[in-house]
Amino acid sequence: MKDMFCFQCQQTAHNTGCEGKAGVCGKKSDTANYQDALTGALIGLARSAKSGHKTYDTDEIVIKGLFTTITNVNFFNDTIKKLTAKIHEERGKINAQKYEDYDMECLWNDNEDIRSLKSLILFGLRGMAAYAYHAMVLGKTDDEVNQFFYEGLYAIGENYDLEKLLSLVLKTGEINFKCMELLDKANTEAYGAPVPTTVPLTIEKGPFIVVSGHDLYDLKLLLEQTKDKGINIYTHSEMLPAHGYPKLKAYSHLKGNFGTAWQSQQSEFHNIPAPILFTTNCLMPVRESYKDRVFTTSVVSYPELVHIGEDKDFTPIITKAIECGGYEKEMNLTGINKGSTVTTGFAHETVLGVADKIIQAVKDGKIRHFFLVGGCDGAAPGRSYYTDFVKQSPKDTIILTLACGKYRFNDLDIGEICGLPRILDMGQCNDAYSAIKVALALSKVFECSVNDLPLTLVLSWYEQKAVCILLTLLYLGIKNIYLGPTLPAFISPKILSILVDQYNITPISTPDKDLAKILG
């Protein structure tokens, strides 16, 4: 098996690309190559679908295939190869004309500017596929969203020029906005509109299960199956916003949140007396001290771990929870900044519900500026920037946040403005839709563009869902975004200059310098 090449995440080696036998994320070279083969098969399927007759099954396998290749989702060669075989089988069903799989080496060795734009499209598609998948399991699909997966994949294998590819990059952002809207509707119809909720970080005595990832449907099924069994459920990382949804809050054994962001799981799960369920990324290589207690479901897969299949029978996890027994006494855990609680549930309906109060506070000079400080977390030391930024932000500013990057500061008590906490957690990464909806609504009220609002986006990125959100922001024409902790390795100097010139994307520097620049 040849050496790997992968540069799709923020922590890629030397900020140029993971090469050799393994990646920084723990993915081995053979797994990376099988994922490339899967992607090449998807491009072949997209070519067939252009003249063939795709079905719902075709859409599902495309979305599932793209989702499987997101960083920290699937480390298991067997499941990747089986999915690739299903793609080949599906390609034979939809069209008599056969297309060969695309060789991903053609992309990785292409002209750097072409490679850069195609990577933005491909990685954006991967991120968007995660959102489409979560909506799909709740019965929500959109023809335009599904069709664009084929259009984007098809483009990867074609000799398009820079202008054509640039337009497709922005279209990826446009369609992702529609996809996030679809998922927002799916979640709120299924579980109700999120409401502000204080979530304890204390772990009660007795059996419990920790649920990580993004899939609220899997959490709902587990809550139902553990009802009245004396087992408490705790969220982890991106599952935290589940506490804000009324129909999930109704389960009295959904107790609180365990641990912080994904990159700390290997230490936080060390010898944990309970099982952990991964519903999506971000799964890290599993250590022996808790390996027998980790379960996967959906597209997540890892060698030698018990996988809960499509029947969603969580009996093995429930049995393991009872066997482990949990802690013998209450454990008073804390966040990174030693706080004992965090808050969530400030989605667009809640924030816009007090819009009059916010608008008046801005007009009265009580709120000077809004910062959206959010995105992915990671292990890079430079990510302490975001904690320091929030700590140094003036008391007359509000911090909107979302995704797991908030764990850097979400347990801080930095006060209130007009009865609102200064830190407003809007939810998961896909809830960037909430932040955008709030910004668009405020721009109408103040009769100005979003770029003229007292609002600055200070974003951290790690994987491909952050990429598709960035593309959505660019599609919407949002400028002056501060991005860190490093710029994507897959963006070439020429493409970066285009983004800087057109959108004024700015690499983060230091909190004090950036705050001074933003606030004048």
PDB file of all heavy atoms in Angstrom, residues 203-230:
ATOM      1  N   ILE A 203     -21.407  14.680  37.762  1.00  0.00           N
ATOM      2  CA  ILE A 203     -21.822  13.329  37.383  1.00  0.00           C
ATOM      3  C   ILE A 203     -22.362  12.638  38.631  1.00  0.00           C
ATOM      4  O   ILE A 203     -21.648  12.469  39.623  1.00  0.00           O
ATOM      5  CB  ILE A 203     -20.669  12.520  36.783  1.00  0.00           C
ATOM      6  CG1 ILE A 203     -19.966  13.312  35.678  1.00  0.00           C
ATOM      7  CG2 ILE A 203     -21.176  11.174  36.258  1.00  0.00           C
ATOM      8  CD1 ILE A 203     -20.847  13.714  34.524  1.00  0.00           C
ATOM      9  N   GLU A 204     -23.629  12.247  38.584  1.00  0.00           N
ATOM     10  CA  GLU A 204     -24.258  11.641  39.741  1.00  0.00           C
ATOM     11  C   GLU A 204     -23.767  10.209  39.960  1.00  0.00           C
ATOM     12  O   GLU A 204     -23.237   9.560  39.058  1.00  0.00           O
ATOM     13  CB  GLU A 204     -25.779  11.656  39.582  1.00  0.00           C
ATOM     14  CG  GLU A 204     -26.378  13.053  39.538  1.00  0.00           C
ATOM     15  CD  GLU A 204     -27.888  13.043  39.416  1.00  0.00           C
ATOM     16  OE1 GLU A 204     -28.495  11.963  39.579  1.00  0.00           O
ATOM     17  OE2 GLU A 204     -28.461  14.117  39.156  1.00  0.00           O
ATOM     18  N   LYS A 205     -23.963   9.738  41.174  1.00  0.00           N
ATOM     19  CA  LYS A 205     -23.611   8.372  41.542  1.00  0.00           C
ATOM     20  C   LYS A 205     -24.450   7.378  40.740  1.00  0.00           C
ATOM     21  O   LYS A 205     -25.630   7.620  40.473  1.00  0.00           O
ATOM     22  CB  LYS A 205     -23.873   8.187  43.041  1.00  0.00           C
ATOM     23  CG  LYS A 205     -23.714   6.766  43.568  1.00  0.00           C
ATOM     24  CD  LYS A 205     -24.104   6.712  45.031  1.00  0.00           C
ATOM     25  CE  LYS A 205     -24.077   5.266  45.543  1.00  0.00           C
ATOM     26  NZ  LYS A 205     -24.468   5.183  46.974  1.00  0.00           N
ATOM     27  N   GLY A 206     -23.840   6.258  40.342  1.00  0.00           N
ATOM     28  CA  GLY A 206     -24.584   5.187  39.695  1.00  0.00           C
ATOM     29  C   GLY A 206     -24.307   5.051  38.210  1.00  0.00           C
ATOM     30  O   GLY A 206     -23.540   5.833  37.617  1.00  0.00           O
ATOM     31  N   PRO A 207     -24.920   4.056  37.563  1.00  0.00           N
ATOM     32  CA  PRO A 207     -24.661   3.770  36.151  1.00  0.00           C
ATOM     33  C   PRO A 207     -25.002   4.949  35.241  1.00  0.00           C
ATOM     34  O   PRO A 207     -25.989   5.647  35.462  1.00  0.00           O
ATOM     35  CB  PRO A 207     -25.585   2.585  35.854  1.00  0.00           C
ATOM     36  CG  PRO A 207     -25.876   1.970  37.183  1.00  0.00           C
ATOM     37  CD  PRO A 207     -25.875   3.100  38.161  1.00  0.00           C
ATOM     38  N   PHE A 208     -24.164   5.129  34.220  1.00  0.00           N
ATOM     39  CA  PHE A 208     -24.437   6.197  33.253  1.00  0.00           C
ATOM     40  C   PHE A 208     -23.811   5.863  31.911  1.00  0.00           C
ATOM     41  O   PHE A 208     -22.974   4.961  31.791  1.00  0.00           O
ATOM     42  CB  PHE A 208     -23.945   7.553  33.764  1.00  0.00           C
ATOM     43  CG  PHE A 208     -22.443   7.708  33.887  1.00  0.00           C
ATOM     44  CD1 PHE A 208     -21.698   8.317  32.889  1.00  0.00           C
ATOM     45  CD2 PHE A 208     -21.788   7.258  35.022  1.00  0.00           C
ATOM     46  CE1 PHE A 208     -20.328   8.483  33.008  1.00  0.00           C
ATOM     47  CE2 PHE A 208     -20.410   7.417  35.165  1.00  0.00           C
ATOM     48  CZ  PHE A 208     -19.679   8.027  34.152  1.00  0.00           C
ATOM     49  N   ILE A 209     -24.249   6.599  30.892  1.00  0.00           N
ATOM     50  CA  ILE A 209     -23.722   6.469  29.535  1.00  0.00           C
ATOM     51  C   ILE A 209     -23.372   7.862  29.036  1.00  0.00           C
ATOM     52  O   ILE A 209     -24.127   8.814  29.255  1.00  0.00           O
ATOM     53  CB  ILE A 209     -24.752   5.826  28.585  1.00  0.00           C
ATOM     54  CG1 ILE A 209     -25.091   4.399  29.032  1.00  0.00           C
ATOM     55  CG2 ILE A 209     -24.237   5.805  27.139  1.00  0.00           C
ATOM     56  CD1 ILE A 209     -26.271   3.782  28.282  1.00  0.00           C
ATOM     57  N   VAL A 210     -22.238   7.987  28.362  1.00  0.00           N
ATOM     58  CA  VAL A 210     -21.818   9.249  27.762  1.00  0.00           C
ATOM     59  C   VAL A 210     -22.080   9.170  26.252  1.00  0.00           C
ATOM     60  O   VAL A 210     -21.705   8.185  25.607  1.00  0.00           O
ATOM     61  CB  VAL A 210     -20.324   9.525  28.029  1.00  0.00           C
ATOM     62  CG1 VAL A 210     -19.869  10.783  27.284  1.00  0.00           C
ATOM     63  CG2 VAL A 210     -20.074   9.677  29.524  1.00  0.00           C
ATOM     64  N   VAL A 211     -22.716  10.194  25.696  1.00  0.00           N
ATOM     65  CA  VAL A 211     -23.045  10.216  24.268  1.00  0.00           C
ATOM     66  C   VAL A 211     -22.326  11.371  23.600  1.00  0.00           C
ATOM     67  O   VAL A 211     -22.501  12.530  23.978  1.00  0.00           O
ATOM     68  CB  VAL A 211     -24.561  10.339  24.041  1.00  0.00           C
ATOM     69  CG1 VAL A 211     -24.876  10.220  22.550  1.00  0.00           C
ATOM     70  CG2 VAL A 211     -25.314   9.282  24.828  1.00  0.00           C
ATOM     71  N   SER A 212     -21.507  11.062  22.609  1.00  0.00           N
ATOM     72  CA  SER A 212     -20.735  12.071  21.898  1.00  0.00           C
ATOM     73  C   SER A 212     -21.217  12.184  20.456  1.00  0.00           C
ATOM     74  O   SER A 212     -21.926  11.318  19.948  1.00  0.00           O
ATOM     75  CB  SER A 212     -19.247  11.706  21.927  1.00  0.00           C
ATOM     76  OG  SER A 212     -18.455  12.776  21.451  1.00  0.00           O
ATOM     77  N   GLY A 213     -20.816  13.256  19.806  1.00  0.00           N
ATOM     78  CA  GLY A 213     -21.168  13.449  18.401  1.00  0.00           C
ATOM     79  C   GLY A 213     -22.276  14.464  18.214  1.00  0.00           C
ATOM     80  O   GLY A 213     -22.528  15.293  19.074  1.00  0.00           O
ATOM     81  N   HIS A 214     -22.975  14.378  17.078  1.00  0.00           N
ATOM     82  CA  HIS A 214     -23.943  15.397  16.683  1.00  0.00           C
ATOM     83  C   HIS A 214     -25.360  14.871  16.479  1.00  0.00           C
ATOM     84  O   HIS A 214     -26.286  15.665  16.347  1.00  0.00           O
ATOM     85  CB  HIS A 214     -23.511  16.040  15.360  1.00  0.00           C
ATOM     86  CG  HIS A 214     -22.140  16.619  15.351  1.00  0.00           C
ATOM     87  ND1 HIS A 214     -21.005  15.844  15.373  1.00  0.00           N
ATOM     88  CD2 HIS A 214     -21.720  17.914  15.311  1.00  0.00           C
ATOM     89  CE1 HIS A 214     -19.938  16.631  15.350  1.00  0.00           C
ATOM     90  NE2 HIS A 214     -20.342  17.876  15.311  1.00  0.00           N
ATOM     91  N   ASP A 215     -25.541  13.548  16.418  1.00  0.00           N
ATOM     92  CA  ASP A 215     -26.820  13.014  15.964  1.00  0.00           C
ATOM     93  C   ASP A 215     -27.855  12.959  17.085  1.00  0.00           C
ATOM     94  O   ASP A 215     -27.847  12.051  17.920  1.00  0.00           O
ATOM     95  CB  ASP A 215     -26.636  11.620  15.358  1.00  0.00           C
ATOM     96  CG  ASP A 215     -27.783  11.258  14.436  1.00  0.00           C
ATOM     97  OD1 ASP A 215     -28.943  11.314  14.901  1.00  0.00           O
ATOM     98  OD2 ASP A 215     -27.538  10.954  13.256  1.00  0.00           O
ATOM     99  N   LEU A 216     -28.758  13.926  17.097  1.00  0.00           N
ATOM    100  CA  LEU A 216     -29.785  14.014  18.130  1.00  0.00           C
ATOM    101  C   LEU A 216     -30.755  12.832  18.075  1.00  0.00           C
ATOM    102  O   LEU A 216     -31.319  12.427  19.094  1.00  0.00           O
ATOM    103  CB  LEU A 216     -30.565  15.322  17.986  1.00  0.00           C
ATOM    104  CG  LEU A 216     -29.751  16.615  18.135  1.00  0.00           C
ATOM    105  CD1 LEU A 216     -30.629  17.825  17.835  1.00  0.00           C
ATOM    106  CD2 LEU A 216     -29.138  16.724  19.522  1.00  0.00           C
ATOM    107  N   TYR A 217     -30.936  12.267  16.881  1.00  0.00           N
ATOM    108  CA  TYR A 217     -31.851  11.132  16.738  1.00  0.00           C
ATOM    109  C   TYR A 217     -31.322   9.918  17.492  1.00  0.00           C
ATOM    110  O   TYR A 217     -32.075   9.228  18.189  1.00  0.00           O
ATOM    111  CB  TYR A 217     -32.047  10.803  15.258  1.00  0.00           C
ATOM    112  CG  TYR A 217     -33.013   9.665  15.004  1.00  0.00           C
ATOM    113  CD1 TYR A 217     -34.369   9.796  15.320  1.00  0.00           C
ATOM    114  CD2 TYR A 217     -32.577   8.471  14.446  1.00  0.00           C
ATOM    115  CE1 TYR A 217     -35.260   8.756  15.082  1.00  0.00           C
ATOM    116  CE2 TYR A 217     -33.460   7.430  14.205  1.00  0.00           C
ATOM    117  CZ  TYR A 217     -34.793   7.572  14.530  1.00  0.00           C
ATOM    118  OH  TYR A 217     -35.673   6.542  14.298  1.00  0.00           O
ATOM    119  N   ASP A 218     -30.026   9.658  17.376  1.00  0.00           N
ATOM    120  CA  ASP A 218     -29.435   8.543  18.123  1.00  0.00           C
ATOM    121  C   ASP A 218     -29.579   8.766  19.629  1.00  0.00           C
ATOM    122  O   ASP A 218     -29.865   7.829  20.386  1.00  0.00           O
ATOM    123  CB  ASP A 218     -27.955   8.376  17.757  1.00  0.00           C
ATOM    124  CG  ASP A 218     -27.770   7.734  16.393  1.00  0.00           C
ATOM    125  OD1 ASP A 218     -28.642   6.956  15.982  1.00  0.00           O
ATOM    126  OD2 ASP A 218     -26.755   8.022  15.741  1.00  0.00           O
ATOM    127  N   LEU A 219     -29.370   9.995  20.072  1.00  0.00           N
ATOM    128  CA  LEU A 219     -29.544  10.312  21.489  1.00  0.00           C
ATOM    129  C   LEU A 219     -30.977  10.056  21.921  1.00  0.00           C
ATOM    130  O   LEU A 219     -31.229   9.465  22.983  1.00  0.00           O
ATOM    131  CB  LEU A 219     -29.161  11.763  21.756  1.00  0.00           C
ATOM    132  CG  LEU A 219     -29.419  12.263  23.192  1.00  0.00           C
ATOM    133  CD1 LEU A 219     -28.562  11.511  24.199  1.00  0.00           C
ATOM    134  CD2 LEU A 219     -29.164  13.761  23.299  1.00  0.00           C
ATOM    135  N   LYS A 220     -31.933  10.491  21.112  1.00  0.00           N
ATOM    136  CA  LYS A 220     -33.348  10.294  21.438  1.00  0.00           C
ATOM    137  C   LYS A 220     -33.673   8.809  21.580  1.00  0.00           C
ATOM    138  O   LYS A 220     -34.368   8.390  22.526  1.00  0.00           O
ATOM    139  CB  LYS A 220     -34.209  10.910  20.334  1.00  0.00           C
ATOM    140  CG  LYS A 220     -35.698  10.584  20.378  1.00  0.00           C
ATOM    141  CD  LYS A 220     -36.395  11.272  21.529  1.00  0.00           C
ATOM    142  CE  LYS A 220     -37.919  11.318  21.345  1.00  0.00           C
ATOM    143  NZ  LYS A 220     -38.545   9.999  21.133  1.00  0.00           N
ATOM    144  N   LEU A 221     -33.166   7.984  20.663  1.00  0.00           N
ATOM    145  CA  LEU A 221     -33.420   6.548  20.732  1.00  0.00           C
ATOM    146  C   LEU A 221     -32.813   5.938  21.989  1.00  0.00           C
ATOM    147  O   LEU A 221     -33.429   5.081  22.646  1.00  0.00           O
ATOM    148  CB  LEU A 221     -32.858   5.853  19.489  1.00  0.00           C
ATOM    149  CG  LEU A 221     -33.527   6.192  18.156  1.00  0.00           C
ATOM    150  CD1 LEU A 221     -32.792   5.508  17.011  1.00  0.00           C
ATOM    151  CD2 LEU A 221     -34.998   5.783  18.162  1.00  0.00           C
ATOM    152  N   LEU A 222     -31.619   6.373  22.339  1.00  0.00           N
ATOM    153  CA  LEU A 222     -30.973   5.856  23.549  1.00  0.00           C
ATOM    154  C   LEU A 222     -31.735   6.290  24.799  1.00  0.00           C
ATOM    155  O   LEU A 222     -31.913   5.499  25.736  1.00  0.00           O
ATOM    156  CB  LEU A 222     -29.522   6.332  23.617  1.00  0.00           C
ATOM    157  CG  LEU A 222     -28.727   5.844  24.832  1.00  0.00           C
ATOM    158  CD1 LEU A 222     -28.596   4.324  24.827  1.00  0.00           C
ATOM    159  CD2 LEU A 222     -27.349   6.495  24.882  1.00  0.00           C
ATOM    160  N   LEU A 223     -32.179   7.535  24.832  1.00  0.00           N
ATOM    161  CA  LEU A 223     -32.964   8.011  25.973  1.00  0.00           C
ATOM    162  C   LEU A 223     -34.230   7.177  26.149  1.00  0.00           C
ATOM    163  O   LEU A 223     -34.612   6.818  27.266  1.00  0.00           O
ATOM    164  CB  LEU A 223     -33.334   9.487  25.782  1.00  0.00           C
ATOM    165  CG  LEU A 223     -32.203  10.497  25.989  1.00  0.00           C
ATOM    166  CD1 LEU A 223     -32.604  11.861  25.450  1.00  0.00           C
ATOM    167  CD2 LEU A 223     -31.826  10.594  27.464  1.00  0.00           C
ATOM    168  N   GLU A 224     -34.871   6.860  25.052  1.00  0.00           N
ATOM    169  CA  GLU A 224     -36.101   6.068  25.117  1.00  0.00           C
ATOM    170  C   GLU A 224     -35.816   4.651  25.626  1.00  0.00           C
ATOM    171  O   GLU A 224     -36.553   4.104  26.462  1.00  0.00           O
ATOM    172  CB  GLU A 224     -36.746   6.020  23.734  1.00  0.00           C
ATOM    173  CG  GLU A 224     -38.154   5.454  23.714  1.00  0.00           C
ATOM    174  CD  GLU A 224     -39.147   6.245  24.543  1.00  0.00           C
ATOM    175  OE1 GLU A 224     -39.031   7.489  24.630  1.00  0.00           O
ATOM    176  OE2 GLU A 224     -40.044   5.619  25.136  1.00  0.00           O
ATOM    177  N   GLN A 225     -34.712   4.062  25.144  1.00  0.00           N
ATOM    178  CA  GLN A 225     -34.395   2.693  25.531  1.00  0.00           C
ATOM    179  C   GLN A 225     -33.849   2.568  26.953  1.00  0.00           C
ATOM    180  O   GLN A 225     -33.842   1.468  27.522  1.00  0.00           O
ATOM    181  CB  GLN A 225     -33.407   2.086  24.533  1.00  0.00           C
ATOM    182  CG  GLN A 225     -34.004   1.863  23.151  1.00  0.00           C
ATOM    183  CD  GLN A 225     -33.011   1.271  22.165  1.00  0.00           C
ATOM    184  OE1 GLN A 225     -32.196   0.424  22.527  1.00  0.00           O
ATOM    185  NE2 GLN A 225     -33.102   1.695  20.913  1.00  0.00           N
ATOM    186  N   THR A 226     -33.372   3.671  27.530  1.00  0.00           N
ATOM    187  CA  THR A 226     -32.843   3.624  28.899  1.00  0.00           C
ATOM    188  C   THR A 226     -33.827   4.173  29.923  1.00  0.00           C
ATOM    189  O   THR A 226     -33.513   4.224  31.111  1.00  0.00           O
ATOM    190  CB  THR A 226     -31.531   4.433  28.995  1.00  0.00           C
ATOM    191  OG1 THR A 226     -31.732   5.745  28.438  1.00  0.00           O
ATOM    192  CG2 THR A 226     -30.406   3.737  28.258  1.00  0.00           C
ATOM    193  N   LYS A 227     -35.001   4.575  29.472  1.00  0.00           N
ATOM    194  CA  LYS A 227     -35.995   5.147  30.374  1.00  0.00           C
ATOM    195  C   LYS A 227     -36.369   4.142  31.462  1.00  0.00           C
ATOM    196  O   LYS A 227     -36.614   2.966  31.185  1.00  0.00           O
ATOM    197  CB  LYS A 227     -37.239   5.552  29.569  1.00  0.00           C
ATOM    198  CG  LYS A 227     -38.256   6.370  30.327  1.00  0.00           C
ATOM    199  CD  LYS A 227     -39.276   6.999  29.393  1.00  0.00           C
ATOM    200  CE  LYS A 227     -40.028   5.963  28.591  1.00  0.00           C
ATOM    201  NZ  LYS A 227     -41.098   6.565  27.760  1.00  0.00           N
ATOM    202  N   ASP A 228     -36.377   4.603  32.715  1.00  0.00           N
ATOM    203  CA  ASP A 228     -36.777   3.791  33.876  1.00  0.00           C
ATOM    204  C   ASP A 228     -35.845   2.609  34.139  1.00  0.00           C
ATOM    205  O   ASP A 228     -36.245   1.632  34.771  1.00  0.00           O
ATOM    206  CB  ASP A 228     -38.220   3.279  33.718  1.00  0.00           C
ATOM    207  CG  ASP A 228     -39.219   4.409  33.550  1.00  0.00           C
ATOM    208  OD1 ASP A 228     -39.035   5.456  34.202  1.00  0.00           O
ATOM    209  OD2 ASP A 228     -40.177   4.247  32.757  1.00  0.00           O
ATOM    210  N   LYS A 229     -34.620   2.695  33.642  1.00  0.00           N
ATOM    211  CA  LYS A 229     -33.668   1.612  33.882  1.00  0.00           C
ATOM    212  C   LYS A 229     -32.596   1.986  34.913  1.00  0.00           C
ATOM    213  O   LYS A 229     -31.654   1.225  35.135  1.00  0.00           O
ATOM    214  CB  LYS A 229     -33.002   1.185  32.565  1.00  0.00           C
ATOM    215  CG  LYS A 229     -33.909   0.349  31.660  1.00  0.00           C
ATOM    216  CD  LYS A 229     -33.143  -0.172  30.449  1.00  0.00           C
ATOM    217  CE  LYS A 229     -33.911  -1.264  29.726  1.00  0.00           C
ATOM    218  NZ  LYS A 229     -35.211  -0.855  29.217  1.00  0.00           N
ATOM    219  N   GLY A 230     -32.715   3.176  35.495  1.00  0.00           N
ATOM    220  CA  GLY A 230     -31.741   3.585  36.500  1.00  0.00           C
ATOM    221  C   GLY A 230     -30.396   3.960  35.914  1.00  0.00           C
ATOM    222  O   GLY A 230     -29.371   3.924  36.609  1.00  0.00           O
TER     223      GLY A 230
END
